[in-house]
Amino acid sequence: MRPLLLPRPRPDAKRRPRVDGASLFYCSLHWTHAFIGGLLLATAAPALAQYPGEITGRVSDAVTGAPVENAFIEVVGTGLTAYSDGHGEFRIRGLESGSHTLRIDRMGYATLEREVDVRNGASTWVNLSLGLRPVEVEEIQVEATAVIDATRDLITRAEIEDSGELNAAGLLQGRLGIVVQRRGPGAPQTVSIRGSSADEVLVLLDGAPLNDPITGNADLSTVPTSQIETVTVLRGSHSATYGPGAAGGVVLIESRSSAPPLGLGVETGSLGFWSGSAETSGSALGLDWSAGGQARRADGSFEFERLDALGGGRATRQNVDISETAAFVSATGDLAGGGLRLRAGYTGLDRGIPGPSFLPTSTAREELRRWRGQATWDRVTGRVRYAAHVYGVLQDARFVDANPPQGLPYDSRTDALALGGRLSSELELDGLMRSLWGGLELRDQRYESTAVDAAAPGGRTDVGLFAGGQLAPGNSSSTRLVAALRVDRDDLAKKWYPTHELSLTTVAGPATLRARHASSYSPPTFGDQFFREGVAVEPNPDLHAERIPADFGLGVSIAGNVAGTAAALSVDGYIADVKDMIVWAPDFRFVWSPRNFDVKRRGIDVQAELGLPAHDVELHAAYSLARVTYDREDDDNIQVIYRPRHSGSIGASWRPGRWSLGVDARFVGTRYPVPAPLNALEPYWTWDIRLREVAARPR
């Protein structure tokens, strides 16, 4: 399918785009009012010219996205300069209106020049990404290329637009160590990282948890890509930084912060799919704002080969339709000497729940309505940075099936409200200790649900205290040691749980070496402890929290460019055994219930990329081994249910000019639906072929 966009935002669009308010004024009002407005603007112009403007922004590594400190920023021809701070941020004041050239220099990086337009009395924000500087060795030219890291992924807005994916789950499908679990095109989609459960992956949308308060799972299919600016995936335990629920990893989703002055899009495709979207942006009341909306629908029905055990032949998958609407609004500005960012969004969907192919249902439906809002304020005073973040999420979900193939009809509804806030400060230092930070985080969840019994609490309020620091020997920028410590108060268990994180990163020539030791904890969900008892299923109110006392990892990344061929390789191994992992399992009566098991979890992630710029060809491959087995004396080789031991992907893309052709193959290995090597689910491959018209890539 080929989207029709008018116009399409550039991949290098500024983070805080400025739109001439006069242009919007002329487009939106009657011509007579426009004429009067034009006269007023012309009269006011001399007065506005007397106010100087400023440029603020952030300098980051083009590969890792990490902030670049001590970068020298110069406004060419003015004598005005600045250095970026520990967050990569800078500010240059006293600029006349008009176009200015910024030159950015930093040892080890290629010099960057960027044209920036400054308006009267206004602050212009720019994002500046520095690439590594080429190095010549004898007669072979060697250049640093994209350094990949098997412990993290960063998906930018440009990549999201080129992918053609509809939601956040599609963006993560086939990524290293990630398995997306779903039952059809419109069905809920959750993720597992390194063999974790879905409720062991913490998903934060603009800092607010997306995980359902009842199940603990985060349905990534409810986050349309039209609302996403970036997605960052962090593999491994990260509770010390992001809080409970991050045993397997963290998915950080940042919503859109910019849009073109006017953008329209129409898409269509197979399975009865169509989509329409609109975006706009402007300036008002001292704020730069952006807004957009999207509606999409898909029938989703498709034919498939029925298993011989189920009668064979062909059948049609029914009740897989989906209707979705989404909208977002964002605004940025200044408040009390700091930067203010406001974001809000809405998602509504109605979709079928088809059930498994061997027991389908044509009457099961899901309805979801989610409203979210957040505000972030930060200020830098000297060497101290202060930050505050608050959010609220209101969600209404309903699951209904009037005629299920087995069991009784149900109509379950959950209304949930999540509120939270985070206060933090960071001090930049010189010498061995480069920075110190600390803060407080508060999370409150309230809900009403017909899916839980009367013994369930009405919510929980958790509090976390955290602190950390970064060390670097001498003036070295190639070695970093980061330490973090956090304690969280579990409201239901009435206990404090400490977690930690200690990571060492060092660069030696073309190689980057990593070592990491961390711990995490995840409380049991309301759904596991208090769901309504049904046929052959029971809740377990005595569940313990899941804990990873020691998540130990070692890794190396190597990147280089020789004779016009760019290559990168990343290998990471880990050992992260879980105490009291919550797994659904049957007892001697074959009654299923969530239970605690000690689990051995260890594996290796390998990722490789190869680029041939002369031919516009890029190749990539990934492989993940996740050995997740029950810790038993007699037999510790039984894989935990539904966890594939092997997964991977291989793909290629060809991008000549304005067209992009991509082919990806993804593999998911054997899984077992019971805690024994029985009734194995066969491994499978999926293929994805994409042909899209995209913006021309600069050479």
Side-chain angles (χ1 to χ4, degrees):
M1 56 189 174
R2 174 180 171 182
L4 304 177
L5 299 178
L6 178 63
R8 181 170 184 173
R10 303 192 311 271
D12 62 343
K14 298 179 178 67
R15 175 180 170 188
R16 297 174 59 187
R18 302 244 175 215
V19 178
D20 189 349
S23 64
L24 295 179
F25 190 83
Y26 291 143
C27 293
S28 60
L29 298 181
H30 192 271
W31 67 271
T32 56
H33 297 111
F35 178 75
I36 296 173
L39 292 177
L40 293 175
L41 289 177
T43 303
L48 293 175
Q50 63 182 310
Y51 297 106
E54 67 177 27
I55 298 176
T56 61
R58 182 176 185 269
V59 184
S60 61
D61 189 296
V63 175
T64 66
V68 175
E69 62 179 331
N70 293 326
F72 180 70
I73 303 99
E74 176 188 7
V75 183
V76 178
T78 66
L80 298 175
T81 62
Y83 283 91
S84 60
D85 61 19
H87 303 281
E89 298 181 357
F90 67 92
R91 182 189 301 266
I92 300 177
R93 295 187 172 95
L95 293 168
E96 295 182 359
S97 61
S99 179
H100 294 274
T101 300
L102 287 184
R103 179 181 292 127
I104 303 91
D105 286 295
R106 177 66 163 86
M107 182 179 297
Y109 290 91
T111 298
L112 174 68
E113 290 192 358
R114 171 74 63 83
E115 293 294 324
V116 179
D117 291 328
V118 176
R119 297 171 56 201
N120 290 334
S123 177
T124 301
W125 175 275
V126 292
N127 277 323
L128 304 168
S129 298
L130 299 184
L132 296 180
R133 176 176 296 163
V135 179
E136 289 191 4
V137 179
E138 296 180 353
E139 296 182 357
I140 300 178
Q141 185 176 9
V142 180
E143 294 180 344
T145 187
V147 179
I148 55 178
D149 183 349
T151 65
R152 62 181 293 150
D153 271 331
L154 174 63
I155 307 173
T156 65
R157 181 63 197 169
E159 294 177 87
I160 293 171
E161 292 178 352
D162 287 346
S163 71
E165 297 291 349
L166 301 177
N167 55 51
L171 294 175
L172 299 183
Q173 180 73 45
R175 296 272 172 172
L176 181 65
I178 297 177
V179 176
V180 176
Q181 302 164 338
R182 64 177 179 175
R183 290 180 175 176
Q189 300 178 46
T190 60
V191 297
S192 168
I193 299 179
R194 289 182 170 180
S196 70
S197 302
D199 59 1
E200 294 173 324
V201 178
L202 180 62
V203 180
L204 299 178
L205 176 58
D206 293 335
L210 191 67
N211 302 68
D212 187 274
I214 304 298
T215 66
N217 300 338
D219 182 3
L220 292 176
S221 70
T222 65
V223 185
T225 52
S226 62
Q227 292 192 5
I228 301 175
E229 187 75 23
T230 62
V231 178
T232 303
V233 179
L234 304 177
R235 301 172 181 86
S237 300
H238 286 278
S239 290
T241 303
Y242 297 100
V250 181
V251 178
L252 306 174
I253 303 176
E254 291 292 323
S255 67
R256 294 284 300 279
S257 58
S258 62
L262 178 62
L264 301 174
V266 177
E267 297 187 43
T268 186
S270 59
L271 304 179
F273 169 79
W274 66 264
S275 172
S277 62
E279 299 175 351
T280 186
S281 62
S283 300
L285 302 176
L287 297 174
D288 297 328
W289 59 267
S290 301
Q294 181 189 46
R296 66 182 178 97
R297 180 179 175 83
D299 175 75
S301 299
F302 61 93
E303 292 188 351
F304 67 97
E305 294 289 340
R306 192 191 300 270
L307 297 175
D308 293 338
L310 299 177
R314 297 185 65 81
T316 300
R317 190 69 160 150
Q318 302 284 358
N319 197 33
V320 287
D321 63 293
I322 181 172
S323 298
E324 182 179 27
T325 56
F328 77 92
V329 61
S330 174
T332 58
D334 297 326
L335 177 66
L340 176 67
R341 185 178 186 187
L342 306 173
R343 286 177 287 188
Y346 167 78
T347 299
L349 62 84
D350 182 352
R351 62 184 169 192
I353 305 177
S357 59
F358 60 85
L359 200 66
T361 174
S362 61
T363 53
R365 307 291 298 179
E366 176 190 1
E367 298 176 6
L368 174 72
R369 305 291 181 267
R370 180 190 299 130
W371 296 263
R372 58 180 176 82
Q374 71 90 31
T376 301
W377 176 85
D378 67 271
R379 178 180 179 180
V380 177
T381 303
R383 295 194 172 197
V384 182
R385 178 176 183 174
Y386 306 93
H389 175 256
V390 294
Y391 65 82
V393 180
L394 179 62
Q395 179 173 298
D396 174 16
R398 183 188 182 196
F399 297 86
V400 59
D401 193 345
N403 187 27
Q406 69 174 16
L408 299 175
Y410 62 86
D411 188 346
S412 172
R413 184 164 188 160
T414 300
D415 296 322
L417 173 64
L419 300 173
R422 181 184 177 103
L423 298 173
S424 63
S425 63
E426 182 174 359
L427 173 63
E428 183 181 353
L429 301 170
D430 294 325
L432 178 63
M433 180 68 70
R434 294 301 178 90
S435 61
L436 291 172
W437 62 83
L440 166 71
E441 184 172 12
L442 185 69
R443 296 181 181 180
D444 183 80
Q445 293 181 334
R446 301 293 149 183
Y447 72 92
E448 293 181 359
S449 176
T450 59
V452 297
D453 60 30
R460 63 185 301 155
T461 302
D462 299 317
V463 62
L465 303 171
F466 57 91
Q470 178 177 257
L471 295 87
N475 294 321
S476 172
S477 61
S478 62
T479 300
R480 287 288 187 272
L481 176 65
V482 177
L485 177 65
R486 178 173 174 135
V487 289
D488 285 278
R489 170 70 173 177
D490 189 316
D491 189 25
L492 298 188
K494 307 303 180 185
K495 294 181 179 179
W496 288 91
Y497 288 93
T499 54
H500 77 279
E501 182 177 344
L502 188 66
S503 62
L504 175 66
T505 304
T506 185
V507 178
T512 300
L513 307 177
R514 297 180 294 274
R516 189 170 180 274
H517 192 280
S519 62
S520 70
Y521 110 95
S522 299
T525 66
F526 290 134
D528 287 338
Q529 291 181 293
F530 305 110
F531 68 85
R532 290 188 181 275
E533 187 171 336
V535 178
V537 292
E538 290 181 352
N540 186 352
D542 299 322
L543 286 172
H544 303 297
E546 298 175 321
R547 292 163 292 111
I548 299 180
D551 184 338
F552 179 68
L554 287 174
V556 59
S557 297
I558 302 176
N561 188 321
V562 180
T565 300
L569 174 67
S570 178
V571 181
D572 277 84
Y574 61 90
I575 299 175
D577 296 345
V578 185
K579 297 294 183 183
D580 294 323
M581 175 183 278
I582 299 174
V583 180
W584 278 72
D587 61 10
F588 67 94
R589 302 167 298 167
F590 210 75
V591 174
W592 287 75
S593 180
R595 309 176 191 279
N596 289 118
F597 294 90
D598 288 345
V599 168
K600 294 182 178 179
R601 189 164 64 101
R602 51 207 62 193
I604 187 171
D605 294 324
V606 182
Q607 190 170 7
E609 295 181 357
L610 186 67
L612 303 173
H615 303 284
D616 297 305
V617 172
E618 295 179 358
L619 308 174
H620 58 268
Y623 167 73
S624 180
L625 167 65
R627 189 177 185 274
V628 187
T629 62
Y630 298 98
D631 189 1
R632 299 171 176 172
E633 293 183 1
D634 53 341
D635 186 359
D636 64 351
N637 196 40
I638 299 176
Q639 192 83 350
V640 173
I641 61 174
Y642 293 111
R643 268 66 161 191
R645 184 166 293 190
H646 306 279
S647 63
S649 65
I650 186 170
S653 64
W654 180 46
R655 188 172 175 178
R658 294 184 58 85
W659 291 92
S660 173
L661 174 64
V663 179
D664 288 285
R666 300 156 182 163
F667 173 76
V668 175
T670 303
R671 294 142 294 143
Y672 294 98
V674 294
L678 302 172
N679 305 323
L681 301 176
E682 294 297 323
Y684 64 89
W685 286 86
T686 59
W687 292 84
D688 184 14
I689 301 177
R690 305 176 306 280
L691 177 62
R692 295 177 59 83
E693 185 180 11
V694 297
R697 178 166 52 189
R699 292 179 176 274

